[in-house]
Amino acid sequence: MTCMIDYEAPSDLLTGRVIVVTGAGDGIGRCAALTYARHGATVILLGRTIAKLEATYDLIEAEGLAQPAIFPLNLEGASLKDYHDMAETLDKEFGRVDGILHNAGLLGRITPFEQYNPELWEQVMQVNLNGPVWMTQALLPLLQASEDASVILTSSSVGRKGRAFWGAYAVSKFATEGFSEVLADEVEHLGTLRINTLNPGATRTAMRKGAYPGEDPMTLRTPEDIMPTYLWLMGPDSRGHNGERFDAQPPKK
């Protein structure tokens, strides 16, 4: 696993690039969208809560950065048609997509498997796995229209080594790792598109609080702290890295 926590991105790293960020309404997604915009990108803000997306939009606008776009979509209920309609809209508006950060996710419940609710299992799989898979498929022609495109799929330590009680969340992340490797192998010959996974690690977010309610959040890195790896993977300096696993934080000693 590779970590680029010390990467210093030039201010124009993403100038002219069109980047989709899912789960852009809060947490890591909002921070990544703002960070990408600060480095020159036109960001497509995707999420299910319009008010939160508008708040992210306003943050970007307030800094006088490239005007973002809002694309409301609830991955839990999204259909294949929704993803193809999205691709059609982005094609008309921009003609290509230079990057996707698949950040949106559902934790589900930390519970013994024998007690896991099947409906909740399906919901977690829909948001964490099926959504990114079918969105990526729909946007592949636009990614291939880019001279240098990067797809970042959010993983987790429990998607690399199984852990008791993590249920659907862990299984969805194992599947995400597998999907990334399959697609990366398929696009390797292009030389212009890379597919990688990124584990953000323990970060001060609402999802982390839900998983570890007794943890002191002040002991954790903030979303801002882990952005160097997000920038490196999305920008041109990560060319040649395809089908790999990355960590946004150094391993705990």
Side-chain angles (χ1 to χ4, degrees), residues 14 21 27 41 54 62 74-75 91-92 107 118 123 125 128 145 157 166-167 169 197-198:
L14 303 174
V21 177
E54 288 175 339
N74 184 350
L75 300 186
D91 188 21
K92 286 179 181 174
L107 177 65
Q123 289 173 351
M125 288 296 175
N128 294 3
S157 59
W166 278 80
Y169 184 80
T197 61
L198 178 57

Short mmCIF file of all heavy atoms in Angstrom, two decimals, residues 14 21 27 41 54 62 74-75 91-92 107 118 123 125 128 145 157 166-167 169 197-198:
data_model
loop_
_atom_site.label_atom_id
_atom_site.label_comp_id
_atom_site.label_asym_id
_atom_site.label_seq_id
_atom_site.Cartn_x
_atom_site.Cartn_y
_atom_site.Cartn_z
N LEU A 14 -5.07 20.72 -11.31
CA LEU A 14 -6.27 20.18 -11.97
C LEU A 14 -6.94 21.19 -12.90
O LEU A 14 -8.10 21.01 -13.27
CB LEU A 14 -7.27 19.70 -10.90
CG LEU A 14 -6.73 18.65 -9.91
CD1 LEU A 14 -7.76 18.38 -8.82
CD2 LEU A 14 -6.35 17.37 -10.63
N VAL A 21 -17.53 14.25 -8.12
CA VAL A 21 -17.32 13.83 -6.73
C VAL A 21 -18.66 13.38 -6.16
O VAL A 21 -19.60 14.18 -6.08
CB VAL A 21 -16.73 14.97 -5.86
CG1 VAL A 21 -16.60 14.52 -4.40
CG2 VAL A 21 -15.38 15.42 -6.39
N GLY A 27 -18.44 15.94 4.82
CA GLY A 27 -17.31 15.06 5.12
C GLY A 27 -16.19 15.13 4.10
O GLY A 27 -15.84 16.20 3.59
N ALA A 41 -10.05 22.62 -10.85
CA ALA A 41 -11.03 21.74 -11.50
C ALA A 41 -12.43 22.35 -11.53
O ALA A 41 -12.81 23.15 -10.66
CB ALA A 41 -11.10 20.40 -10.77
N GLU A 54 -25.78 22.34 -2.24
CA GLU A 54 -25.80 23.79 -2.43
C GLU A 54 -24.82 24.48 -1.49
O GLU A 54 -24.19 25.48 -1.85
CB GLU A 54 -27.22 24.33 -2.22
CG GLU A 54 -28.17 23.96 -3.36
CD GLU A 54 -29.59 24.39 -3.11
OE1 GLU A 54 -29.95 24.61 -1.92
OE2 GLU A 54 -30.37 24.49 -4.08
N ALA A 62 -17.86 31.15 -3.30
CA ALA A 62 -17.38 32.23 -2.43
C ALA A 62 -15.90 32.49 -2.62
O ALA A 62 -15.42 33.60 -2.38
CB ALA A 62 -17.67 31.89 -0.97
N ASN A 74 -29.68 10.07 -5.66
CA ASN A 74 -29.61 9.16 -4.52
C ASN A 74 -29.19 7.79 -5.05
O ASN A 74 -29.95 7.12 -5.73
CB ASN A 74 -30.98 9.08 -3.83
CG ASN A 74 -30.94 8.23 -2.57
OD1 ASN A 74 -29.96 7.54 -2.30
ND2 ASN A 74 -32.00 8.29 -1.79
N LEU A 75 -27.98 7.38 -4.75
CA LEU A 75 -27.45 6.11 -5.28
C LEU A 75 -28.30 4.91 -4.84
O LEU A 75 -28.37 3.90 -5.55
CB LEU A 75 -26.01 5.90 -4.84
CG LEU A 75 -24.99 6.96 -5.28
CD1 LEU A 75 -23.59 6.52 -4.90
CD2 LEU A 75 -25.07 7.23 -6.77
N ASP A 91 -21.99 14.79 -21.15
CA ASP A 91 -21.45 14.81 -22.51
C ASP A 91 -21.83 16.10 -23.22
O ASP A 91 -20.99 16.76 -23.86
CB ASP A 91 -21.98 13.59 -23.28
CG ASP A 91 -21.31 13.44 -24.64
OD1 ASP A 91 -20.20 13.99 -24.83
OD2 ASP A 91 -21.89 12.78 -25.52
N LYS A 92 -23.10 16.50 -23.08
CA LYS A 92 -23.57 17.74 -23.72
C LYS A 92 -22.88 18.96 -23.13
O LYS A 92 -22.53 19.90 -23.84
CB LYS A 92 -25.09 17.87 -23.55
CG LYS A 92 -25.90 16.92 -24.43
CD LYS A 92 -27.38 17.11 -24.17
CE LYS A 92 -28.20 16.14 -25.02
NZ LYS A 92 -29.65 16.21 -24.68
N LEU A 107 -22.62 3.00 5.86
CA LEU A 107 -21.96 2.13 6.84
C LEU A 107 -22.76 0.87 7.11
O LEU A 107 -22.20 -0.21 7.31
CB LEU A 107 -21.76 2.90 8.15
CG LEU A 107 -21.14 2.13 9.31
CD1 LEU A 107 -19.72 1.70 8.98
CD2 LEU A 107 -21.16 2.98 10.59
N PRO A 118 -31.44 -8.27 5.94
CA PRO A 118 -31.20 -8.42 4.50
C PRO A 118 -31.50 -7.15 3.69
O PRO A 118 -30.79 -6.87 2.72
CB PRO A 118 -32.16 -9.56 4.10
CG PRO A 118 -32.39 -10.33 5.36
CD PRO A 118 -32.35 -9.30 6.45
N GLN A 123 -29.21 -2.37 0.69
CA GLN A 123 -29.00 -0.92 0.62
C GLN A 123 -27.52 -0.57 0.58
O GLN A 123 -27.08 0.25 -0.23
CB GLN A 123 -29.66 -0.22 1.81
CG GLN A 123 -31.18 -0.22 1.77
CD GLN A 123 -31.78 0.33 3.07
OE1 GLN A 123 -31.06 0.54 4.06
NE2 GLN A 123 -33.08 0.56 3.08
N MET A 125 -25.01 -2.49 -0.30
CA MET A 125 -24.43 -2.95 -1.57
C MET A 125 -24.80 -2.02 -2.72
O MET A 125 -23.99 -1.75 -3.60
CB MET A 125 -24.91 -4.37 -1.88
CG MET A 125 -24.29 -5.41 -0.99
SD MET A 125 -22.49 -5.49 -1.23
CE MET A 125 -22.06 -6.67 0.04
N ASN A 128 -22.66 1.36 -2.03
CA ASN A 128 -21.20 1.22 -1.97
C ASN A 128 -20.61 0.50 -3.18
O ASN A 128 -19.45 0.73 -3.53
CB ASN A 128 -20.80 0.46 -0.72
CG ASN A 128 -21.10 1.23 0.55
OD1 ASN A 128 -21.67 2.30 0.52
ND2 ASN A 128 -20.74 0.66 1.68
N ALA A 145 -12.65 9.75 -23.41
CA ALA A 145 -12.48 10.95 -24.24
C ALA A 145 -11.47 11.91 -23.64
O ALA A 145 -11.05 12.88 -24.28
CB ALA A 145 -13.83 11.66 -24.41
N SER A 157 -9.91 -0.38 5.32
CA SER A 157 -9.05 -1.45 5.87
C SER A 157 -9.85 -2.75 6.01
O SER A 157 -9.30 -3.84 5.86
CB SER A 157 -8.48 -1.03 7.22
OG SER A 157 -9.53 -0.76 8.14
N TRP A 166 -18.42 -6.44 10.68
CA TRP A 166 -18.50 -5.33 9.73
C TRP A 166 -19.40 -5.63 8.53
O TRP A 166 -19.62 -4.77 7.68
CB TRP A 166 -17.09 -4.91 9.29
CG TRP A 166 -16.46 -4.01 10.31
CD1 TRP A 166 -15.88 -4.37 11.48
CD2 TRP A 166 -16.41 -2.58 10.27
NE1 TRP A 166 -15.45 -3.25 12.18
CE2 TRP A 166 -15.77 -2.14 11.45
CE3 TRP A 166 -16.83 -1.62 9.35
CZ2 TRP A 166 -15.55 -0.80 11.73
CZ3 TRP A 166 -16.61 -0.27 9.63
CH2 TRP A 166 -15.97 0.12 10.81
N GLY A 167 -19.86 -6.84 8.41
CA GLY A 167 -20.94 -7.19 7.51
C GLY A 167 -20.87 -6.64 6.10
O GLY A 167 -19.86 -6.75 5.40
N TYR A 169 -20.73 -3.68 4.86
CA TYR A 169 -19.76 -2.63 4.55
C TYR A 169 -18.42 -3.26 4.11
O TYR A 169 -17.87 -2.91 3.07
CB TYR A 169 -19.53 -1.72 5.76
CG TYR A 169 -18.61 -0.56 5.47
CD1 TYR A 169 -19.09 0.57 4.81
CD2 TYR A 169 -17.26 -0.59 5.83
CE1 TYR A 169 -18.25 1.64 4.52
CE2 TYR A 169 -16.42 0.46 5.55
CZ TYR A 169 -16.92 1.58 4.89
OH TYR A 169 -16.07 2.64 4.60
N THR A 197 -7.86 2.20 -5.92
CA THR A 197 -8.64 2.31 -4.70
C THR A 197 -7.87 3.12 -3.67
O THR A 197 -6.64 3.13 -3.65
CB THR A 197 -8.99 0.94 -4.09
OG1 THR A 197 -7.78 0.24 -3.75
CG2 THR A 197 -9.81 0.11 -5.08
N LEU A 198 -8.63 3.79 -2.80
CA LEU A 198 -8.03 4.64 -1.77
C LEU A 198 -8.75 4.43 -0.45
O LEU A 198 -9.97 4.59 -0.36
CB LEU A 198 -8.12 6.12 -2.19
CG LEU A 198 -7.58 7.15 -1.20
CD1 LEU A 198 -6.12 6.88 -0.85
CD2 LEU A 198 -7.74 8.56 -1.77
#
